Amino acid sequence: MLTSELSILLIYGLVTAITLGLKTTGMMASIDMGYLLSSRDETRTLQGMLGRLDRALNNSVVALALITPPILIIALRDQSSAQSLLAAQVFLAARIVYLPAYVLGIIGVRTLVWTGGFLATLVLYFLAL
């Protein structure tokens, strides 16, 4: 299943979409529907685990935006290699561990896996050059 950088990108997009679904479900349980159905001109701060899930989602969207260009370039140039596949796999594994670590407030693990995922992203940029 994880045989190409594109499949890893697709899986990470799905992980991010599932995270959005979890956040939305959590908001429906904790915020009144009137606000959720409104234009949300007034800002409401999400607290606790739901707030951490919101911040993790925002970080995940940024990570998705950053990982997409090098993976697409590697695929378009047909430059896939063992190194690029490994970097993409490290990225995906780090991001999957990052989400629950952030939501559950496991600070040291969160920082470590974020750093690993970011370094894997940088490796992919250098391989795509």
Side-chain angles (χ1 to χ4, degrees), residues 47-108:
Q47 302 295 323
M49 195 176 282
L50 187 56
R52 289 191 302 275
L53 181 60
D54 182 50
R55 292 187 297 279
L57 174 62
N58 290 337
N59 188 278
S60 296
V61 170
V62 169
L64 183 59
L66 286 173
I67 198 70
T68 300
I71 286 182
L72 290 179
I73 292 203
I74 287 169
L76 288 171
R77 291 182 180 167
D78 198 25
Q79 291 180 327
S80 182
S81 66
Q83 294 86 4
S84 62
L85 183 58
L86 178 60
Q89 290 169 336
V90 167
F91 168 83
L92 180 62
R95 294 304 305 186
I96 288 173
V97 173
Y98 171 84
L99 284 166
Y102 197 136
V103 172
L104 298 173
I106 307 170
I107 296 167

Side-chain angles (χ1 to χ4, degrees), residues 4-55:
S4 76
E5 295 86 350
L6 285 174
S7 65
I8 289 169
L9 180 62
L10 183 65
I11 291 167
Y12 186 61
L14 180 60
V15 168
T16 304
I18 290 169
T19 305
L20 175 61
L22 291 171
K23 176 195 164 193
T24 303
T25 302
M27 288 178 67
M28 290 171 55
S30 66
I31 297 176
D32 65 277
M33 286 304 287
Y35 176 75
L36 293 176
L37 295 173
S38 74
S39 60
R40 300 185 194 176
D41 291 331
E42 94 183 38
T43 304
R44 298 231 178 135
T45 304
L46 300 175
Q47 302 295 323
M49 195 176 282
L50 187 56
R52 289 191 302 275
L53 181 60
D54 182 50
R55 292 187 297 279

